[in-house]
Structure formats: C-alpha cells, structure tokens
Amino acid sequence: SDHHMVQFYETESSLAEAVTRFLMPGLELGHPIVIIATPEHVEAFLSRFAIEGIDIGKARDSHQLILLDASDTLSRFMIGDLPDANRFKEAIGRVLEESRDRHGDLAVLAFGEMVDILWREGKTEAAVRLEQLWNELATLHSFRLYCAYAMNGFYKQTPAEFQAICAQHSRVIATEHSVQTGRSDAALLQQRSLALEAELKHHQQIQQALLQALDERRQAEEKLRITEQELREFFENAVVGLHWVGEDGKILWANQAELDLLGYSRDEYIGHHIGEFHVDAEVVEDILARLGRNETLLGYETRLRCKDGSIRHVLIDSNAYRQNGKFVHTRCFTRDITDRKQAEVAQLWLRAIVESADDAIISKTLEGIITSWNSGAERIFGYSAQEAIGKPVAILIPADHPNEEPEILKKLRAGERIDHYETQRVRKDGRIIDVSLSVSPIKDHRGRIVGASKIARDITERKRIEQERDQLLRSEMAARAEAEQARAEAENANRLKDEFLAVLSHELRTPLSPILGWANILGSRNDEESVRRGSEVIYRNAVLQKRLIDDLLDMSRILSGKMVIKNEAVDLTAVLHAAVDTVRAAAAAKAIILETDMDESARFITGDADRLQQVVWNLLSNSLKFTPVNGRVRLRLRKNQSNAEIIVEDTGEGISQEFLPRVFDRFCQADGGTARQHGGLD
C-alpha cells in the first residue's frame, strides 16, 4: 500500500498542487490531517485549501488540521546530527495518536518535509535514518505519509544516495517534468541522477536504468509475496476470532484467536459442524439460513460452548463469499462480549443497590455537574432526579461554605479520596442539614480521572443527640467544678478562720501578759518608780490591746461589707505626724531612728483621716517590728502629679520576690523565721 510516498519537485507551485491533491479528499471526508512544513509552504497550502472551499479556521479549531513547523519539530528529537528514535516516537507518535483518537478510526494523512531540510543541510545519513523511523512508526500507528524533496538537492548526490532515499518509500513520485514527458517515474529520476554525474557514460546510464527496472520488478514481486504472507499472518494472528464455514455447515478454517477463545485444538474444531459449538441449536440454524440467502449479519448475539464446558457470549459479524454466484464459504468474525455481559449484570445489581440505599449516592463531573441522583438523594435533599441532574452540585452548598467544593474537586483531580468528611448541606426547602461525605474519583478505562462518586449520609439527628450529650456533659462538668470550687473555698475559709483565730489569740494575749504581770507587781510594791513604770506598761499594753480589738472590728466590718469610709478634707501631714507619735515609744525601745520627710505641696487631700492614720500606723508598726535594733525607719510624703504618695522605708530584711504577689492577702505571712516570730493581724 502507499503508506509512505515521496514527491520530488522542481517548483514550489508544483509542490503545493501535489500536496493539495493528496490532502484534499481527506479534509473533505473528515480525516485528521498533520502538516509538518516550513512556514512558507504552510501558507501556500492553506491558500489552496481556502480556494478549494475548506474552512481553515473550523478545521484547526476542531483539531482536524494540525500545523507544525518543520525546523522546530526537528529540534525536538535530534541529538547531534542524528534523530533519536525514542524522542521521535514521543514527539510524532503522540501527535498521530491524539489526532486519530479525536476522529475515531479514520486514518491520519500526514505531509512532512523535515527530511528535505536535513538533505539540504548535507545530513544525508540523518535524512535516511528519519525515513526509516517513519517506517518503524507505521508499525505502531495507522497513517499515510507524503514526503517531499526539492530536486535541486540531488544534483550533486551519488546514485547510491539517491537510491537509499527511494528505498525507504512504498511509492516514488518523480518531478512534474517527468510526469509531462510520460516517462516512468523511477527510471526518469534514476536517469536524471546519473546524467548529473559527469564521470558516467551514456551507455552506463542505460544499463543502470535497465538493471534498476529489473530490480524494481523483483522488489515488486517480493513485496507482493510479503504482502500476501503478511495478510495471511494478519488473519491468522488477529486478536478477533475468524472462521470459514462451508455450505454444509462444517468449519473449513479458523484462526488462533477463535481456537483460543473456545479452548479447542485445530483438529478438535476444524472439520466439525458449527452446530456442535453453539449452545442454542435454533440460533445456528437461523445463522446458516440467513447467510445462505446472502444476508449480512452484523452484531448477531449468540452463545458458544467452550471445551471446558463454560459458556461465552459472542457477537457474530458474517457474510458469504461466492464465486460466480455459488456459495463457497462464510466469512465470520467472532467478538467475545462475555465480560461486557457480566459487567452489564453487575451494573444492574449495582443500580439496584444504589437505588435501594438510604444514603444519597451522587456522581458528578470534574466541573461539579451532577450526572446521577438516586432515591436516597431525593429523600435527603428534596430534589427529584430530573431537577438535580445537569445542575451544578453547588445548589447543595450553603452560602457560608464557598471554598469547600473547589477544594474537594482539587483533591479529586489529584486522585485523592475523601472519607467521612462531616459538613453541612442545604435542602431544596432551604433547611440546613448535617451530612457525612465520602467522595471517590471515577476513572475511565485508561485510568484518567473523569468524574467523582459521592455518598452523603444525613447525620442531623446524630449531631443533635451529640450536641445534647455534650451539653449535658458540659453542664455536669460545670456543676462538678462549681462544687469543687465551693468545697475548696469552704476549706480555705476554714483554714483562714483557724489561722485568724490562732493569730488573734496570740495577739490578744501578748499585751495581756505584761498587764497581768505588772498588776501583780503593783499589788506587792508601793514605791513610786514601780508604780510609774507599771502604770506606763499597763497603759501602753492596754492601748495596744484596744487597737487590736479595733482592728478586729474593722476586719469584721470589711468582711461583712459594713466598713464606712469618710470623704472629707484632710491635713495629711497632721495625720502622718500623729501616726509617728503613736509608734515613737516602740521605736525608742529598739533604738531605731525614726525619720520624716514631708512635701508641703502634697499636704491637703480628700479622704478619711482616721483610716489613713490607721494604715500608716500599721505600715510603721510592721517596719519597726521587722527592723533590727539600731536600725532606721523613714516616712516620706511627696507629690506625684495630682496624687499624694506615702512611702515607708526601713533597713529590715525586706520581703522576698516570691511572696510579693501575696503581700495583700488576708492573714497571709511569708514563711520564714522573722515573720513567724512576730505574727500579727497585719
């Protein structure tokens, strides 16, 4: 067959005319067309197509017409000065396969002049190798190739090089000049090639032409023999079962695919009546009768019995071969559809399962368009199948979930599966429901992801129960926490009460002991010094005890919320001096120097004079209590913007950094010897 032709041309117009003549029928019949040429030639071809009435834009938009730049395409598979076989198959084979896939089983018609570019560049070996690669590609893909060489590129070549090019083609077409003279194409090309060689004589040219003609005849006979052999091998090794049946119903011939399909050897099958292998006798009788009437059977479904007893479902395509009107034998193609029949049954089962499922089972395209909708989906979402199919799945997505579906589709395109994804969807009536989604990608027979299958389960009731349970758990935990807090507060209150009573007992007894001691002394002594000293001690400790009792009453008022704070004009320096006078005797007893530093600008404020004096007295008392003998305590008053600031400083050991956050807690004292030795309500 003319699957690989070569055209030698002398003028550009003759090339355009020849290529148009080759490609036009294919364009009109819908064949995919691939042109690999220089930009100048592409423009010339398109102009001629337009003149012939071809809609170039439509052909290109539908991918019927593919245009490739010859030089750019060459660069994709050339390594050095030679074409790479694998890169060539990838670059060209993929284009041919895609073109044919888009247009069914129509053969691809291709024109290429990449070999001419290589030949013009002096890359003779590369051009021959590229022609060979085209021939190898023809064993993998169905196409007809039309190559072209400018004749002026052969004037300086040897006959062997010219013959090497011609040998790679199933048909050689000479230049337009040779066609006009009516000479044999191959002979003329050979003569022109030899004529251009100055070293060859005229008689050698004639002899070479004759030898070539004989060689061409021998090659033609060999090609015919090979073609017949290939045809026999093609039928014998075809993947579809083939057999011939005589007029008497006996099998005359069967290929290996037919034998493999049923599991019989050639002797067990050929020579036997075809009815032995049909499950249904009436069917085989009908087939033979219709073929006898010269009918053609297409897609005739029947059942055949295999050697192992199994049944295969097949489709029969058959007609009768006749010579001079006499029936010779049938020509029957047997296509196994057992897997398809089983798949159909499985599909029916699956469809029944899908329709009876309580869950919503939906399929959609990768653009999110609904393609199937079961009864469960109707119950859950409220849309009928007629209302939902063809609509975007976004009709089920709540407005506050705008990015959810794009993310799901993105994962599906990447081949990911989504399991038990909990979210929300909106019903036809606008009600929002909780659902659990499982989404899987759907792949075609080539493994390409073409859509998605989604199972949606309504979990609204379950979520409601879970929320109620969680609310009960939270309430129970809150109640437990409150009870625990109340218990802790009660324990803390009892602890504080015990500490307070212990401190109170200690503080009240402290001044009582010297009072009782000196009272006994005064009862036994009458000297003035004892009376004076005893009176001072008793008075001082009685005052101290009164102050402790006042502190206790103040604490009680604070705890009960009955503490009253006055708000009146106060001379702060007078309050501070009174507080200093109160502790002066205690300072003198420990030889502590008591200093004051008063800023007169901070003298007058608004507040409660008695409470302020009490606060300052407590601060001074604590400083004196924790300042060692011969120490120093300093009371300062200064103005800080619009506020008065009272500062008590001492030379005692101070308060640790760890205890500072708790310094104002009730009845709380820092651990350590000093604090515990002194005790107190402060």
Side-chain angles (χ1 to χ4, degrees):
S1 62
D2 294 338
H3 72 277
H4 189 180
M5 296 173 284
V6 62
Q7 168 74 59
F8 296 93
Y9 66 94
E10 296 184 29
T11 64
E12 300 293 332
S13 60
S14 65
L15 173 65
E17 181 180 355
V19 172
T20 304
R21 204 165 44 239
F22 172 71
L23 296 179
M24 271 299 299
L27 280 169
E28 293 171 343
L29 294 176
H31 285 264
I33 306 298
V34 177
I35 296 177
I36 310 173
T38 63
E40 296 79 6
H41 285 167
V42 169
E43 183 177 356
F45 300 159
L46 295 183
S47 297
R48 285 187 172 263
F49 292 158
I51 292 172
E52 294 294 335
I54 298 298
D55 187 341
I56 302 301
K58 181 179 179 181
R60 296 187 68 177
D61 291 342
S62 65
H63 299 284
Q64 181 193 6
L65 179 60
I66 304 297
L67 303 177
L68 301 176
D69 183 89
S71 296
D72 290 344
T73 306
L74 262 176
S75 66
R76 294 169 59 187
F77 56 79
M78 291 294 291
I79 297 181
D81 288 335
L82 290 175
D84 180 76
N86 292 330
R87 291 188 179 182
F88 174 81
K89 290 178 182 177
E90 171 64 20
I92 305 301
R94 181 166 53 83
V95 172
L96 296 176
E97 183 179 5
E98 291 176 353
S99 296
R100 187 172 184 184
D101 286 348
R102 291 193 184 100
H103 298 84
D105 293 328
L106 294 175
V108 179
L109 302 184
F111 169 77
E113 56 178 335
M114 295 182 290
V115 289
D116 188 43
I117 292 177
L118 295 173
W119 195 272
R120 288 170 182 267
E121 292 174 353
K123 299 176 181 178
T124 307
E125 183 182 357
V128 174
R129 179 56 182 151
L130 181 53
E131 295 285 13
Q132 293 171 347
L133 292 179
W134 275 108
N135 288 332
E136 293 173 7
L137 192 62
T139 64
L140 303 176
H141 300 280
S142 176
F143 63 90
R144 294 184 65 201
L145 175 64
Y146 196 89
C147 295
Y149 287 84
M151 195 63 204
N152 57 19
F154 288 88
Y155 289 160
K156 297 182 181 180
Q157 305 301 325
T158 66
E161 291 173 330
F162 178 76
Q163 291 172 0
I165 289 296
C166 293
Q168 304 304 320
H169 298 84
S170 58
R171 182 182 176 191
V172 177
I173 305 172
T175 65
E176 62 273 19
H177 176 73
S178 65
V179 173
Q180 293 167 3
T181 59
R183 298 178 181 176
S184 167
D185 291 347
L188 176 62
L189 289 174
Q190 184 63 27
Q191 289 170 0
R192 291 181 65 85
S193 175
L194 296 175
L196 295 174
E197 300 297 327
E199 69 273 13
L200 294 179
K201 300 185 183 298
H202 181 63
H203 70 276
Q204 291 175 321
Q205 294 176 352
I206 297 174
Q207 182 182 18
Q208 182 65 31
L210 291 173
L211 290 173
Q212 181 178 348
L214 291 173
D215 186 57
E216 287 177 353
R217 179 170 180 174
R218 182 190 60 79
Q219 290 181 9
E221 291 174 349
E222 179 64 17
K223 285 183 179 181
L224 179 60
R225 185 190 64 79
I226 292 173
T227 300
E228 291 176 349
Q229 181 180 350
E230 288 177 346
L231 189 59
R232 287 195 299 271
E233 291 180 352
F234 172 78
F235 284 113
E236 184 62 39
N237 298 306
V239 296
V240 177
L242 302 171
H243 67 266
W244 297 344
V245 175
E247 191 173 15
D248 58 358
K250 289 185 178 181
I251 301 171
L252 303 177
W253 170 84
N255 71 345
Q256 193 60 44
E258 179 98 358
L259 299 174
D260 292 342
L261 172 64
L262 302 178
Y264 296 99
S265 67
R266 196 168 295 276
D267 291 339
E268 292 171 330
Y269 195 65
I270 297 174
H272 291 259
H273 194 280
I274 190 65
E276 297 178 28
F277 308 101
H278 276 262
V279 176
D280 306 302
E282 66 278 7
V283 170
V284 71
E285 292 175 1
D286 181 58
I287 291 174
L288 292 174
R290 293 173 65 175
L291 291 175
R293 295 192 297 267
N294 206 25
E295 294 184 24
T296 296
L297 305 181
L298 295 175
Y300 193 107
E301 187 171 340
T302 184
R303 296 184 298 165
L304 298 179
R305 184 180 292 106
C306 299
K307 183 177 179 179
D308 60 8
S310 62
I311 304 298
R312 306 299 294 181
H313 293 266
V314 298
L315 291 179
I316 299 292
D317 297 321
S318 184
N319 59 18
Y321 170 62
R322 296 173 180 270
Q323 287 183 350
N324 300 321
K326 180 176 175 56
F327 186 101
V328 179
H329 59 72
T330 67
R331 295 174 291 198
C332 184
F333 292 78
T334 307
R335 289 179 287 154
D336 185 7
I337 60 168
T338 306
D339 292 341
R340 192 187 80 185
K341 295 290 287 188
Q342 292 174 348
E344 289 174 355
V345 173
Q347 185 69 23
L348 292 174
W349 278 97
L350 179 61
R351 187 177 303 166
I353 293 171
V354 168
E355 281 304 311
S356 62
D358 291 331
D359 295 337
I361 302 178
I362 306 166
S363 61
K364 61 183 179 181
T365 67
L366 291 180
E367 289 71 39
I369 303 301
I370 298 170
T371 56
S372 71
W373 187 266
N374 74 334
S375 300
E378 292 185 0
R379 289 192 297 272
I380 291 175
F381 297 114
Y383 292 96
S384 67
Q386 184 177 4
E387 291 174 316
I389 294 176
K391 298 291 194 307
V393 76
I395 63 174
L396 305 178
I397 311 296
D400 56 352
H401 292 59
N403 299 322
E404 187 172 283
E405 185 64 14
E407 284 297 319
I408 290 176
L409 292 174
K410 179 180 178 182
K411 291 182 178 180
L412 288 171
R413 292 189 183 99
E416 296 183 34
R417 174 184 168 87
I418 300 168
D419 286 320
H420 306 300
Y421 171 65
E422 293 189 2
T423 183
Q424 291 182 322
R425 290 293 180 262
V426 58
R427 284 174 46 87
K428 179 182 178 181
D429 58 13
R431 181 163 59 90
I432 300 296
I433 60 174
D434 294 291
V435 296
S436 174
L437 300 180
S438 292
V439 190
S440 302
I442 298 175
K443 299 180 180 180
D444 64 10
H445 65 284
R446 295 186 178 181
R448 296 178 299 187
I449 298 171
V450 296
S453 172
K454 177 186 294 186
I455 300 176
R457 175 167 296 176
D458 187 352
I459 59 171
T460 305
E461 183 63 19
R462 192 196 81 189
K463 296 291 284 188
R464 184 189 66 78
I465 294 172
E466 288 178 353
Q467 290 173 358
E468 291 179 355
R469 181 196 64 192
D470 293 344
Q471 183 62 38
L472 288 174
L473 289 175
R474 286 194 294 269
S475 299
E476 183 178 348
M477 291 176 64
R480 288 181 181 177
E482 290 177 2
E484 182 64 23
Q485 183 178 359
R487 184 187 64 78
E489 290 178 353
E491 289 180 355
N492 189 52
N494 289 332
R495 181 181 60 78
L496 293 177
K497 180 187 73 174
D498 292 342
E499 291 180 357
F500 173 71
L501 291 176
V503 172
L504 178 63
S505 174
H506 171 78
E507 293 292 317
L508 290 177
R509 283 177 177 162
T510 298
L512 190 58
S513 296
I515 290 175
L516 294 175
W518 279 98
N520 289 330
I521 292 174
L522 291 178
S524 60
R525 297 180 184 178
N526 292 322
D527 59 284
E528 292 183 2
E529 179 60 24
S530 296
V531 171
R532 183 188 63 77
R533 186 177 178 188
S535 297
E536 289 178 354
V537 172
I538 290 172
Y539 176 78
R540 186 168 62 248
N541 283 279
V543 170
L544 177 59
Q545 193 166 43
K546 177 180 180 300
R547 186 166 292 151
L548 289 171
I549 293 171
D550 290 341
D551 287 347
L552 179 61
L553 291 174
D554 286 346
M555 185 63 65
S556 176
R557 292 189 187 101
I558 291 172
L559 293 175
S560 63
K562 296 180 180 180
M563 185 73 174
V564 177
I565 303 295
K566 299 176 184 177
N567 192 18
E568 56 189 11
V570 175
D571 183 347
L572 196 53
T573 57
V575 170
L576 298 182
H577 284 303
V580 170
D581 290 340
T582 304
V583 300
R584 195 175 296 281
K590 294 180 68 175
I592 293 174
I593 299 174
L594 190 59
E595 299 177 345
T596 60
D597 180 8
M598 307 290 181
D599 184 351
E600 290 296 322
S601 64
R603 179 174 181 178
F604 297 104
I605 65 169
T606 300
D608 189 324
D610 293 337
R611 297 302 175 191
L612 286 170
Q613 182 176 339
Q614 184 180 2
V615 170
V616 176
W617 175 82
N618 269 298
L619 292 173
L620 291 172
S621 296
N622 281 332
S623 290
L624 293 172
K625 189 186 297 184
F626 293 100
T627 299
V629 176
N630 298 321
R632 186 184 301 272
V633 174
R634 185 182 184 191
L635 174 65
R636 296 168 57 199
L637 172 64
R638 67 183 184 184
K639 190 170 184 179
N640 184 357
Q641 296 181 357
S642 61
N643 300 318
E645 200 170 71
I646 301 171
I647 303 170
V648 177
E649 302 170 326
D650 59 51
T651 56
E653 61 180 294
I655 302 172
S656 68
Q657 292 292 329
E658 293 78 8
F659 187 72
L660 280 176
R662 301 181 58 203
V663 72
F664 290 107
D665 292 352
R666 297 177 195 161
F667 317 126
C668 187
Q669 295 180 342
D671 292 333
T674 305
R676 291 303 180 197
Q677 290 171 6
H678 293 279
L681 294 171
D682 304 334

